[in-house]
Structure formats: structure tokens, C-alpha cells
Amino acid sequence: MSEASFQAPASLLIVGSGVFGLSTAYALTQRPEWASTRITVLDRAARGQPYPARDAASIDSSRIIRADYADPAYASLACQAQVEWRKQGPDHIGGEGRYTESGLALVADEGPLVKRSSHGHEVKTGLGFARQAYANAVHEARREGRPEGFIRVLDGPDAVRGASGTDAPFGDWGYLNPGSGWADAEAAMDWLYARVAATGRVEFASGTVACLEVEGRRVVGAKLTDGQSLRADLVLLAAGAWTPSLLDVRGQVVATGQILGYLQLDDAEQKKLDKVPVMLNLSSGAFLIPPRNKVLKVGLHAYGYQNPKKITTALVVPKGPSDSNPFPEITVSQPYTHLDDPDIWMPAESEQALRRGLQKMVPWPELKERPFTANRVCWYTDTATGDFLISYHPHWEGLFIATGGSGHGFKFLPVLGDKIADCVQGKCPTEFQNKWQWKEVND
């Protein structure tokens, strides 16, 4: 699809109302070329309940908001998002307590800057990422007119200890960026849903997709598990970790479960931790977000768990003219959440890893053995590179894919929808054209 040849469809079906789907719906309602398009957003959320469903990755107490990236393109885009997060008031996404600029202490452990992957490629280590992120953070701070020294280097464990606010030397090198922070993710999603609904331009539909519907080589809609069909001229698949269950994206993205833990604090502990920065160690993946309402959240962003299942619901590209079955049996990882099992609890190894991370970031005796009062398996759609997948499908006509958040998509919520809308209209930002495109996979 080129920008010159683009013409808005008469009808659009967006499957999924998470970060990618809901932000795109809002962006399209603001564009005059889409004024005559009938837009429907379909989600698993029960009718009358907020969108998205409450086990979506974006529905959580908090998410880190940072422009601290080793990749300049993502650093710049995150800075654009931060401009919106910082605006206050009920009419802004970061207002009414939805965004808190607590600062971010981003650190890593001592070691090499790069290492060899299993495929022989050089990849950045946590320290390599942190060093490059620092350079990009300084560049963006200067561009914003920040004073020299706004981004403070933490050169050694003692410097890290002093910046932590908890007397914790939880890394060997890093920096403190006062311009980063965190957002109340669930509140932000609910705010955006209300904004989309208020436009009067979007119809919200509830239901679970059984499979995409096809006619020849064209995707024409979605069939629901109750037998109902929703048809549209263009289908935009933004189903997050449920995407691989509806479309064969093997080699592109995989659904993985990441572990989060929550601890109950008392009033004194809340007060002591209220002003600490977000803490993130890029070598271990351990992170901590300042508590709210006496609940402290810790997490471990690393290679997630998979839940392999044999399915016949994913749309697959036929192997040849004689292959008439677009839904053969394949194996994919599928989310399994607290809505599937209210008593689900993290694996013991993950609980131990969270405990170790917590002790490094908050080395207080009173928290050492305190049990986690809640946990969550947060399902992401990971790509091998961490890049999003925002592209028309190369084989199936009438199908656009917007997924691959890879655990870092939420922070872009205020600006991502416009970028996806640009891609739909054939004008993907130059700096993301190679990053977000459909990748060819060798059998």
C-alpha cells in the first residue's frame, strides 16, 4: 500500500482494544479521510464492561514511562509520547494522577558491552544497552533544553546506592534520569476508552473470535465463537498476545508470560518509598515501580514463559495451489491468565527471582521474607528484536497487523495510534520502515 494509492475503506474492524487497537481507533476518528468509515472495535471484554478485557497486558497498576532506549528511533518516539504524558488535567492522558514523574535509575552489572548470540551475531548486553541509552538520553535532554548534568551518571555501586532512595547498590553502572517515571496503566486505558467512546464514531462489539473469515485470498471479517460474523472491508488485527492464535505469525512474534509480584506495605513503608525513582537493572531484568496505596510492584522482564497448544484457529498461508485448508493444525503459545484460573500463581522459580530482585533494590530486613500478596502473569507479544510488527499482511489481502509490543509498547500509548494510522495509509515513518515490516521467514 502506497500513500498515493490509499483510499479509506468503507468499513474497518479492529480486533482487540489494547494499546495498539484502542489508540489506532482514536487516531482514525481524528482524521478527515476516515470520516465516512464505519469503525468497529471488537474485544473479549464482556458487554457492559470496560475495554479491553481485564487480563490484557495494558490493564495493570503501573507501567514504566521512559525514553531511555539504546535505539535512537524509539528514544525519539518515546520523547514525543512523554510530552503528552506530562500534560496535566482531566483532558490529558497523564492528568489526574495517571502519570508520575518519579525519575528512573537505569543500571546494569559489570561486564562486556556486547556478546555473541546463539546465531553468531553481536548483541548488546545490559551494560551495552545502558551505555547507549545514556548517550541518547543526554541527546534528548539537550534537545529539550534541559540543563547540563540533568542526566546524572551513576559510576559505581556507591553512586547507585545514593540514587536509589533505598540504600541499594543494585547495579555497577548506570544513570539517573529525572525526566522518566511511571503511569497508572489501567486508569490510562480507561481514560482512552472513554475518549474513543465520546467521539461517537466507534462501535464497540463484545465477543471472542473463533477465527478470521476469508474469501479466496481476502480476509473479510471475523467469526465469533457464538457463530456471529462481523465483516469489514479492512480487518486490523491488534489482539496482542492472542494474535498468534488467530494468524500464523510463527517466526514473527510469540506470546510469552512475564511475572509480576505485589507486596502490601504499611503507612511508614509507603512514605519511605513514595519518592524513590523507578529502578531497573538491565542485566537481571529486575525492576521496581514506586508504590501507590501501600502496594509495591516488582517485576522481572526477561525471556517469558510459553504455553504451547495445538490449534486449528490460526489463518495460515497455503503452501501451494493444492493446499485448500487455511486453518491446519499448528502449535503456538497461548495466554493463560487469571480469567482462565483465578487461583493461578507464579512458578516457584519466578517467585524466588522476584524475591532476589526485591532484596537487591530494597534491602530492608522487614521485607526480606514478606510474602507476595498478589501476582500476575502478564502476557506480551514478543518479537526477536523487540521491534513492533505494524504491516499489511504480504499474502492475505484486507488484513493489517499491529502487534509485537514486546513488553515496552505501553509507554507509546499517546502517539502510537497515529503511527499505526500512518502505516495503514502507506506512510510508515522512515526510521521504522525496516523495523516494523513483516519479516520473511525461512522454513
Side-chain angles (χ1 to χ4, degrees), residues 305-333:
Y305 291 97
Q306 294 190 35
N307 180 37
K309 295 291 182 182
K310 293 185 181 297
I311 64 168
T312 57
T313 58
L315 181 61
V316 175
V317 175
K319 293 183 178 180
S322 61
D323 186 359
S324 60
N325 180 18
F327 297 100
E329 184 179 89
I330 63 173
T331 299
V332 303
S333 175

PDB file of all heavy atoms in Angstrom, residues 305-333:
ATOM      1  N   TYR A 305       7.613 -17.127  29.897  1.00  0.00           N
ATOM      2  CA  TYR A 305       7.106 -18.492  29.778  1.00  0.00           C
ATOM      3  C   TYR A 305       6.246 -18.625  28.529  1.00  0.00           C
ATOM      4  O   TYR A 305       5.630 -17.660  28.064  1.00  0.00           O
ATOM      5  CB  TYR A 305       6.260 -18.843  31.004  1.00  0.00           C
ATOM      6  CG  TYR A 305       7.066 -18.964  32.274  1.00  0.00           C
ATOM      7  CD1 TYR A 305       7.154 -17.895  33.171  1.00  0.00           C
ATOM      8  CD2 TYR A 305       7.739 -20.142  32.579  1.00  0.00           C
ATOM      9  CE1 TYR A 305       7.892 -18.001  34.336  1.00  0.00           C
ATOM     10  CE2 TYR A 305       8.479 -20.246  33.744  1.00  0.00           C
ATOM     11  CZ  TYR A 305       8.556 -19.181  34.617  1.00  0.00           C
ATOM     12  OH  TYR A 305       9.292 -19.278  35.764  1.00  0.00           O
ATOM     13  N   GLN A 306       6.199 -19.835  28.009  1.00  0.00           N
ATOM     14  CA  GLN A 306       5.301 -20.133  26.902  1.00  0.00           C
ATOM     15  C   GLN A 306       4.310 -21.206  27.323  1.00  0.00           C
ATOM     16  O   GLN A 306       4.560 -21.986  28.236  1.00  0.00           O
ATOM     17  CB  GLN A 306       6.081 -20.588  25.661  1.00  0.00           C
ATOM     18  CG  GLN A 306       6.961 -19.511  25.066  1.00  0.00           C
ATOM     19  CD  GLN A 306       7.541 -19.902  23.718  1.00  0.00           C
ATOM     20  OE1 GLN A 306       6.892 -20.586  22.924  1.00  0.00           O
ATOM     21  NE2 GLN A 306       8.766 -19.465  23.460  1.00  0.00           N
ATOM     22  N   ASN A 307       3.170 -21.214  26.640  1.00  0.00           N
ATOM     23  CA  ASN A 307       2.114 -22.182  26.910  1.00  0.00           C
ATOM     24  C   ASN A 307       1.713 -22.820  25.575  1.00  0.00           C
ATOM     25  O   ASN A 307       0.707 -22.433  24.974  1.00  0.00           O
ATOM     26  CB  ASN A 307       0.912 -21.482  27.567  1.00  0.00           C
ATOM     27  CG  ASN A 307      -0.219 -22.441  27.876  1.00  0.00           C
ATOM     28  OD1 ASN A 307       0.005 -23.590  28.256  1.00  0.00           O
ATOM     29  ND2 ASN A 307      -1.451 -21.978  27.706  1.00  0.00           N
ATOM     30  N   PRO A 308       2.505 -23.789  25.085  1.00  0.00           N
ATOM     31  CA  PRO A 308       2.266 -24.339  23.747  1.00  0.00           C
ATOM     32  C   PRO A 308       0.962 -25.137  23.671  1.00  0.00           C
ATOM     33  O   PRO A 308       0.675 -25.976  24.518  1.00  0.00           O
ATOM     34  CB  PRO A 308       3.469 -25.262  23.519  1.00  0.00           C
ATOM     35  CG  PRO A 308       4.455 -24.903  24.578  1.00  0.00           C
ATOM     36  CD  PRO A 308       3.666 -24.388  25.733  1.00  0.00           C
ATOM     37  N   LYS A 309       0.187 -24.849  22.628  1.00  0.00           N
ATOM     38  CA  LYS A 309      -1.069 -25.551  22.393  1.00  0.00           C
ATOM     39  C   LYS A 309      -1.211 -25.836  20.894  1.00  0.00           C
ATOM     40  O   LYS A 309      -0.856 -25.008  20.061  1.00  0.00           O
ATOM     41  CB  LYS A 309      -2.265 -24.702  22.850  1.00  0.00           C
ATOM     42  CG  LYS A 309      -2.300 -24.438  24.348  1.00  0.00           C
ATOM     43  CD  LYS A 309      -2.592 -25.704  25.140  1.00  0.00           C
ATOM     44  CE  LYS A 309      -2.659 -25.406  26.631  1.00  0.00           C
ATOM     45  NZ  LYS A 309      -2.895 -26.654  27.413  1.00  0.00           N
ATOM     46  N   LYS A 310      -1.765 -27.004  20.571  1.00  0.00           N
ATOM     47  CA  LYS A 310      -2.102 -27.318  19.184  1.00  0.00           C
ATOM     48  C   LYS A 310      -3.450 -26.689  18.866  1.00  0.00           C
ATOM     49  O   LYS A 310      -4.416 -26.884  19.607  1.00  0.00           O
ATOM     50  CB  LYS A 310      -2.145 -28.830  18.967  1.00  0.00           C
ATOM     51  CG  LYS A 310      -0.788 -29.519  19.098  1.00  0.00           C
ATOM     52  CD  LYS A 310      -0.889 -30.992  18.757  1.00  0.00           C
ATOM     53  CE  LYS A 310       0.466 -31.683  18.915  1.00  0.00           C
ATOM     54  NZ  LYS A 310       1.476 -31.152  17.988  1.00  0.00           N
ATOM     55  N   ILE A 311      -3.517 -25.921  17.780  1.00  0.00           N
ATOM     56  CA  ILE A 311      -4.739 -25.197  17.447  1.00  0.00           C
ATOM     57  C   ILE A 311      -5.047 -25.333  15.958  1.00  0.00           C
ATOM     58  O   ILE A 311      -4.162 -25.656  15.151  1.00  0.00           O
ATOM     59  CB  ILE A 311      -4.636 -23.700  17.807  1.00  0.00           C
ATOM     60  CG1 ILE A 311      -3.534 -23.029  16.966  1.00  0.00           C
ATOM     61  CG2 ILE A 311      -4.382 -23.509  19.297  1.00  0.00           C
ATOM     62  CD1 ILE A 311      -3.543 -21.514  17.044  1.00  0.00           C
ATOM     63  N   THR A 312      -6.281 -25.071  15.608  1.00  0.00           N
ATOM     64  CA  THR A 312      -6.701 -25.021  14.196  1.00  0.00           C
ATOM     65  C   THR A 312      -7.486 -23.746  13.934  1.00  0.00           C
ATOM     66  O   THR A 312      -8.396 -23.712  13.119  1.00  0.00           O
ATOM     67  CB  THR A 312      -7.560 -26.250  13.842  1.00  0.00           C
ATOM     68  OG1 THR A 312      -8.684 -26.305  14.731  1.00  0.00           O
ATOM     69  CG2 THR A 312      -6.759 -27.541  13.940  1.00  0.00           C
ATOM     70  N   THR A 313      -7.133 -22.682  14.658  1.00  0.00           N
ATOM     71  CA  THR A 313      -7.848 -21.405  14.546  1.00  0.00           C
ATOM     72  C   THR A 313      -7.017 -20.315  13.894  1.00  0.00           C
ATOM     73  O   THR A 313      -7.530 -19.231  13.622  1.00  0.00           O
ATOM     74  CB  THR A 313      -8.286 -20.918  15.940  1.00  0.00           C
ATOM     75  OG1 THR A 313      -7.122 -20.782  16.778  1.00  0.00           O
ATOM     76  CG2 THR A 313      -9.260 -21.889  16.582  1.00  0.00           C
ATOM     77  N   ALA A 314      -5.733 -20.564  13.664  1.00  0.00           N
ATOM     78  CA  ALA A 314      -4.847 -19.534  13.102  1.00  0.00           C
ATOM     79  C   ALA A 314      -4.835 -19.614  11.586  1.00  0.00           C
ATOM     80  O   ALA A 314      -4.650 -20.682  11.001  1.00  0.00           O
ATOM     81  CB  ALA A 314      -3.437 -19.693  13.649  1.00  0.00           C
ATOM     82  N   LEU A 315      -5.017 -18.480  10.949  1.00  0.00           N
ATOM     83  CA  LEU A 315      -5.012 -18.387   9.497  1.00  0.00           C
ATOM     84  C   LEU A 315      -3.580 -18.533   8.980  1.00  0.00           C
ATOM     85  O   LEU A 315      -2.697 -17.762   9.339  1.00  0.00           O
ATOM     86  CB  LEU A 315      -5.603 -17.052   9.065  1.00  0.00           C
ATOM     87  CG  LEU A 315      -5.695 -16.781   7.560  1.00  0.00           C
ATOM     88  CD1 LEU A 315      -6.592 -17.806   6.869  1.00  0.00           C
ATOM     89  CD2 LEU A 315      -6.208 -15.359   7.327  1.00  0.00           C
ATOM     90  N   VAL A 316      -3.369 -19.541   8.137  1.00  0.00           N
ATOM     91  CA  VAL A 316      -2.038 -19.883   7.627  1.00  0.00           C
ATOM     92  C   VAL A 316      -2.004 -19.658   6.118  1.00  0.00           C
ATOM     93  O   VAL A 316      -2.988 -19.910   5.417  1.00  0.00           O
ATOM     94  CB  VAL A 316      -1.688 -21.345   7.972  1.00  0.00           C
ATOM     95  CG1 VAL A 316      -0.362 -21.755   7.343  1.00  0.00           C
ATOM     96  CG2 VAL A 316      -1.643 -21.533   9.490  1.00  0.00           C
ATOM     97  N   VAL A 317      -0.876 -19.212   5.604  1.00  0.00           N
ATOM     98  CA  VAL A 317      -0.721 -19.073   4.155  1.00  0.00           C
ATOM     99  C   VAL A 317      -0.604 -20.463   3.538  1.00  0.00           C
ATOM    100  O   VAL A 317       0.250 -21.252   3.960  1.00  0.00           O
ATOM    101  CB  VAL A 317       0.533 -18.244   3.810  1.00  0.00           C
ATOM    102  CG1 VAL A 317       0.745 -18.199   2.300  1.00  0.00           C
ATOM    103  CG2 VAL A 317       0.403 -16.835   4.368  1.00  0.00           C
ATOM    104  N   PRO A 318      -1.451 -20.809   2.567  1.00  0.00           N
ATOM    105  CA  PRO A 318      -1.368 -22.134   1.935  1.00  0.00           C
ATOM    106  C   PRO A 318       0.007 -22.362   1.310  1.00  0.00           C
ATOM    107  O   PRO A 318       0.645 -21.430   0.818  1.00  0.00           O
ATOM    108  CB  PRO A 318      -2.465 -22.079   0.864  1.00  0.00           C
ATOM    109  CG  PRO A 318      -3.411 -21.031   1.341  1.00  0.00           C
ATOM    110  CD  PRO A 318      -2.568 -20.013   2.047  1.00  0.00           C
ATOM    111  N   LYS A 319       0.461 -23.623   1.338  1.00  0.00           N
ATOM    112  CA  LYS A 319       1.789 -23.940   0.811  1.00  0.00           C
ATOM    113  C   LYS A 319       1.805 -24.044  -0.712  1.00  0.00           C
ATOM    114  O   LYS A 319       2.865 -24.026  -1.321  1.00  0.00           O
ATOM    115  CB  LYS A 319       2.292 -25.238   1.428  1.00  0.00           C
ATOM    116  CG  LYS A 319       2.566 -25.120   2.932  1.00  0.00           C
ATOM    117  CD  LYS A 319       3.122 -26.407   3.499  1.00  0.00           C
ATOM    118  CE  LYS A 319       3.440 -26.255   4.980  1.00  0.00           C
ATOM    119  NZ  LYS A 319       3.994 -27.507   5.566  1.00  0.00           N
ATOM    120  N   GLY A 320       0.638 -24.168  -1.311  1.00  0.00           N
ATOM    121  CA  GLY A 320       0.594 -24.270  -2.759  1.00  0.00           C
ATOM    122  C   GLY A 320      -0.837 -24.316  -3.254  1.00  0.00           C
ATOM    123  O   GLY A 320      -1.789 -24.328  -2.452  1.00  0.00           O
ATOM    124  N   PRO A 321      -1.039 -24.353  -4.579  1.00  0.00           N
ATOM    125  CA  PRO A 321      -2.398 -24.348  -5.157  1.00  0.00           C
ATOM    126  C   PRO A 321      -3.256 -25.506  -4.689  1.00  0.00           C
ATOM    127  O   PRO A 321      -4.489 -25.371  -4.614  1.00  0.00           O
ATOM    128  CB  PRO A 321      -2.135 -24.424  -6.663  1.00  0.00           C
ATOM    129  CG  PRO A 321      -0.738 -23.921  -6.841  1.00  0.00           C
ATOM    130  CD  PRO A 321       0.004 -24.322  -5.616  1.00  0.00           C
ATOM    131  N   SER A 322      -2.638 -26.625  -4.364  1.00  0.00           N
ATOM    132  CA  SER A 322      -3.420 -27.791  -3.955  1.00  0.00           C
ATOM    133  C   SER A 322      -3.777 -27.774  -2.470  1.00  0.00           C
ATOM    134  O   SER A 322      -4.538 -28.628  -1.998  1.00  0.00           O
ATOM    135  CB  SER A 322      -2.643 -29.077  -4.273  1.00  0.00           C
ATOM    136  OG  SER A 322      -1.412 -29.101  -3.551  1.00  0.00           O
ATOM    137  N   ASP A 323      -3.220 -26.818  -1.749  1.00  0.00           N
ATOM    138  CA  ASP A 323      -3.477 -26.722  -0.309  1.00  0.00           C
ATOM    139  C   ASP A 323      -4.697 -25.821  -0.108  1.00  0.00           C
ATOM    140  O   ASP A 323      -4.611 -24.599  -0.224  1.00  0.00           O
ATOM    141  CB  ASP A 323      -2.257 -26.142   0.401  1.00  0.00           C
ATOM    142  CG  ASP A 323      -2.404 -26.157   1.920  1.00  0.00           C
ATOM    143  OD1 ASP A 323      -3.463 -26.592   2.408  1.00  0.00           O
ATOM    144  OD2 ASP A 323      -1.457 -25.733   2.613  1.00  0.00           O
ATOM    145  N   SER A 324      -5.824 -26.434   0.212  1.00  0.00           N
ATOM    146  CA  SER A 324      -7.082 -25.683   0.310  1.00  0.00           C
ATOM    147  C   SER A 324      -7.491 -25.393   1.744  1.00  0.00           C
ATOM    148  O   SER A 324      -8.543 -24.798   1.977  1.00  0.00           O
ATOM    149  CB  SER A 324      -8.204 -26.451  -0.393  1.00  0.00           C
ATOM    150  OG  SER A 324      -8.389 -27.721   0.215  1.00  0.00           O
ATOM    151  N   ASN A 325      -6.679 -25.802   2.727  1.00  0.00           N
ATOM    152  CA  ASN A 325      -7.055 -25.609   4.125  1.00  0.00           C
ATOM    153  C   ASN A 325      -6.231 -24.483   4.736  1.00  0.00           C
ATOM    154  O   ASN A 325      -5.041 -24.649   5.024  1.00  0.00           O
ATOM    155  CB  ASN A 325      -6.830 -26.896   4.925  1.00  0.00           C
ATOM    156  CG  ASN A 325      -7.203 -26.723   6.397  1.00  0.00           C
ATOM    157  OD1 ASN A 325      -7.920 -25.784   6.764  1.00  0.00           O
ATOM    158  ND2 ASN A 325      -6.724 -27.626   7.238  1.00  0.00           N
ATOM    159  N   PRO A 326      -6.846 -23.313   4.948  1.00  0.00           N
ATOM    160  CA  PRO A 326      -6.092 -22.208   5.540  1.00  0.00           C
ATOM    161  C   PRO A 326      -5.994 -22.290   7.067  1.00  0.00           C
ATOM    162  O   PRO A 326      -5.404 -21.414   7.695  1.00  0.00           O
ATOM    163  CB  PRO A 326      -6.900 -20.978   5.112  1.00  0.00           C
ATOM    164  CG  PRO A 326      -8.300 -21.475   5.018  1.00  0.00           C
ATOM    165  CD  PRO A 326      -8.221 -22.905   4.569  1.00  0.00           C
ATOM    166  N   PHE A 327      -6.560 -23.339   7.661  1.00  0.00           N
ATOM    167  CA  PHE A 327      -6.528 -23.484   9.120  1.00  0.00           C
ATOM    168  C   PHE A 327      -6.018 -24.870   9.516  1.00  0.00           C
ATOM    169  O   PHE A 327      -6.705 -25.619  10.205  1.00  0.00           O
ATOM    170  CB  PHE A 327      -7.922 -23.243   9.711  1.00  0.00           C
ATOM    171  CG  PHE A 327      -8.449 -21.848   9.495  1.00  0.00           C
ATOM    172  CD1 PHE A 327      -9.360 -21.598   8.472  1.00  0.00           C
ATOM    173  CD2 PHE A 327      -8.036 -20.798  10.287  1.00  0.00           C
ATOM    174  CE1 PHE A 327      -9.858 -20.323   8.261  1.00  0.00           C
ATOM    175  CE2 PHE A 327      -8.527 -19.509  10.080  1.00  0.00           C
ATOM    176  CZ  PHE A 327      -9.435 -19.274   9.068  1.00  0.00           C
ATOM    177  N   PRO A 328      -4.817 -25.235   9.121  1.00  0.00           N
ATOM    178  CA  PRO A 328      -4.265 -26.522   9.531  1.00  0.00           C
ATOM    179  C   PRO A 328      -3.868 -26.503  11.005  1.00  0.00           C
ATOM    180  O   PRO A 328      -3.805 -25.428  11.627  1.00  0.00           O
ATOM    181  CB  PRO A 328      -3.044 -26.672   8.640  1.00  0.00           C
ATOM    182  CG  PRO A 328      -2.592 -25.262   8.432  1.00  0.00           C
ATOM    183  CD  PRO A 328      -3.856 -24.459   8.336  1.00  0.00           C
ATOM    184  N   GLU A 329      -3.572 -27.638  11.557  1.00  0.00           N
ATOM    185  CA  GLU A 329      -3.144 -27.696  12.949  1.00  0.00           C
ATOM    186  C   GLU A 329      -1.698 -27.208  13.067  1.00  0.00           C
ATOM    187  O   GLU A 329      -0.804 -27.691  12.373  1.00  0.00           O
ATOM    188  CB  GLU A 329      -3.238 -29.124  13.486  1.00  0.00           C
ATOM    189  CG  GLU A 329      -2.891 -29.231  14.966  1.00  0.00           C
ATOM    190  CD  GLU A 329      -2.999 -30.646  15.500  1.00  0.00           C
ATOM    191  OE1 GLU A 329      -1.982 -31.387  15.420  1.00  0.00           O
ATOM    192  OE2 GLU A 329      -4.100 -31.023  15.959  1.00  0.00           O
ATOM    193  N   ILE A 330      -1.490 -26.230  13.929  1.00  0.00           N
ATOM    194  CA  ILE A 330      -0.141 -25.758  14.235  1.00  0.00           C
ATOM    195  C   ILE A 330      -0.030 -25.630  15.750  1.00  0.00           C
ATOM    196  O   ILE A 330      -1.034 -25.685  16.472  1.00  0.00           O
ATOM    197  CB  ILE A 330       0.172 -24.404  13.563  1.00  0.00           C
ATOM    198  CG1 ILE A 330      -0.753 -23.296  14.091  1.00  0.00           C
ATOM    199  CG2 ILE A 330       0.089 -24.520  12.052  1.00  0.00           C
ATOM    200  CD1 ILE A 330      -0.386 -21.906  13.587  1.00  0.00           C
ATOM    201  N   THR A 331       1.179 -25.445  16.233  1.00  0.00           N
ATOM    202  CA  THR A 331       1.412 -25.271  17.668  1.00  0.00           C
ATOM    203  C   THR A 331       1.870 -23.847  17.932  1.00  0.00           C
ATOM    204  O   THR A 331       2.826 -23.367  17.313  1.00  0.00           O
ATOM    205  CB  THR A 331       2.477 -26.255  18.172  1.00  0.00           C
ATOM    206  OG1 THR A 331       2.024 -27.599  17.948  1.00  0.00           O
ATOM    207  CG2 THR A 331       2.713 -26.066  19.671  1.00  0.00           C
ATOM    208  N   VAL A 332       1.163 -23.181  18.838  1.00  0.00           N
ATOM    209  CA  VAL A 332       1.531 -21.813  19.220  1.00  0.00           C
ATOM    210  C   VAL A 332       1.426 -21.683  20.733  1.00  0.00           C
ATOM    211  O   VAL A 332       0.777 -22.489  21.402  1.00  0.00           O
ATOM    212  CB  VAL A 332       0.619 -20.760  18.551  1.00  0.00           C
ATOM    213  CG1 VAL A 332       0.646 -20.899  17.038  1.00  0.00           C
ATOM    214  CG2 VAL A 332      -0.808 -20.857  19.067  1.00  0.00           C
ATOM    215  N   SER A 333       2.076 -20.654  21.261  1.00  0.00           N
ATOM    216  CA  SER A 333       1.937 -20.328  22.668  1.00  0.00           C
ATOM    217  C   SER A 333       0.677 -19.482  22.860  1.00  0.00           C
ATOM    218  O   SER A 333       0.486 -18.492  22.152  1.00  0.00           O
ATOM    219  CB  SER A 333       3.165 -19.556  23.164  1.00  0.00           C
ATOM    220  OG  SER A 333       2.997 -19.140  24.513  1.00  0.00           O
TER     221      SER A 333
END
